Amino acid sequence: MSDQARSAARRSGRRLEILTLVWNVIEAAVALGVAALTGSPALLGFGVDSLIESSSGAVLLWHLWGTDRPDREALALKLVGYCFLALAAFVAWESVGAIMGREAPEPTAVGIALAAVSLVVMPILARAKRRVATRLQSAALEADARQTEICAYLSAILLLGLGLNALAGWWWADPVAALAMVPIIGVEGKRALRGETCACTPASGEES
């Protein structure tokens, strides 16, 4: 890839990460605010997930705005991996706590709307990030794209859980579904820490 094309790809990556940061800050504010009003553990977990993904986006923004060096790529990938593991631990903690405490949140139309919008936005962002990751041969950006994709899965789980709670009164639906996601998130975190996330290149270097 030419230097000009690489610079253009890095600019695209920066724009995507800025968009991710802005969206996740808004998403976190709405989710945490509604969770405080309704007592929804699912919305609380979703809000914290948005904050964790914001941290991942900030790491990638730091990487893409810096010099194009393999050591920065490897460090960024590890930090994203730690974000994955933090997310897995939090989702597990919140889900088990909700099930053991038999916490039945109030139905919330705002929460359902937030989950539905996120379910549309996150896959679009993930696909765009993956295209840029392939152009840059960036394992760190590929890992961040995967985390954005997992956020879409969590949006679907949140939507299902809030919907079942609102329509059928099944308070346990969202924590049980969220627990099923924990192993997937944990495996992705371990793969990122080992540098195995991106199939296009090893984490130790990039195509020049």
Side-chain angles (χ1 to χ4, degrees):
M1 179 186 293
S2 68
D3 290 343
Q4 185 176 5
R6 193 170 192 80
S7 295
R10 287 173 70 84
R11 285 195 299 271
S12 296
R14 289 195 294 267
R15 286 194 293 269
L16 287 170
E17 293 304 334
I18 290 171
L19 182 58
T20 298
L21 275 170
V22 171
W23 171 259
N24 276 289
V25 167
I26 295 172
E27 192 175 67
V30 174
L32 293 175
V34 176
L37 294 174
T38 64
S40 169
L43 274 170
L44 177 62
F46 189 72
V48 174
D49 161 56
S50 298
L51 292 178
I52 291 173
E53 190 171 349
S54 295
S55 300
S56 175
V59 167
L60 264 295
L61 199 54
W62 163 79
H63 172 50
L64 292 169
W65 245 316
T67 55
D68 195 5
R69 302 200 318 261
D71 59 334
R72 289 178 68 94
E73 165 79 7
L75 177 58
L77 182 58
K78 284 187 177 181
L79 291 174
V80 172
Y82 287 127
C83 287
F84 268 116
L85 295 182
L87 174 58
F90 185 82
V91 171
W93 174 269
E94 284 298 311
S95 300
V96 171
I99 292 170
M100 293 183 66
R102 298 183 63 85
E103 301 172 18
E106 298 176 15
T108 165
V110 175
I112 291 172
L114 176 66
V117 173
S118 181
L119 188 57
V120 173
V121 171
M122 289 295 109
I124 295 172
L125 272 177
R127 284 195 296 270
K129 288 181 182 181
R130 187 164 283 115
R131 285 195 296 268
V132 176
T134 300
R135 289 166 61 191
L136 289 174
Q137 297 286 286
S138 172
L141 188 54
E142 173 73 15
D144 187 62
R146 180 60 177 160
Q147 189 167 40
T148 302
E149 194 173 65
I150 286 176
C151 183
Y153 298 156
L154 292 177
S155 299
I157 288 170
L158 176 66
L159 184 60
L160 178 64
L162 294 178
L164 288 174
N165 180 50
L167 297 174
W170 294 357
W171 63 268
W172 45 265
D174 55 84
V176 168
L179 271 178
M181 289 296 300
V182 170
I184 300 172
I185 300 171
V187 167
E188 290 297 329
K190 290 180 180 179
R191 289 180 64 196
L193 290 176
R194 291 196 299 259
E196 298 175 358
T197 299
C198 182
C200 54
T201 187
S204 58
E206 298 184 48
E207 181 184 297
S208 56

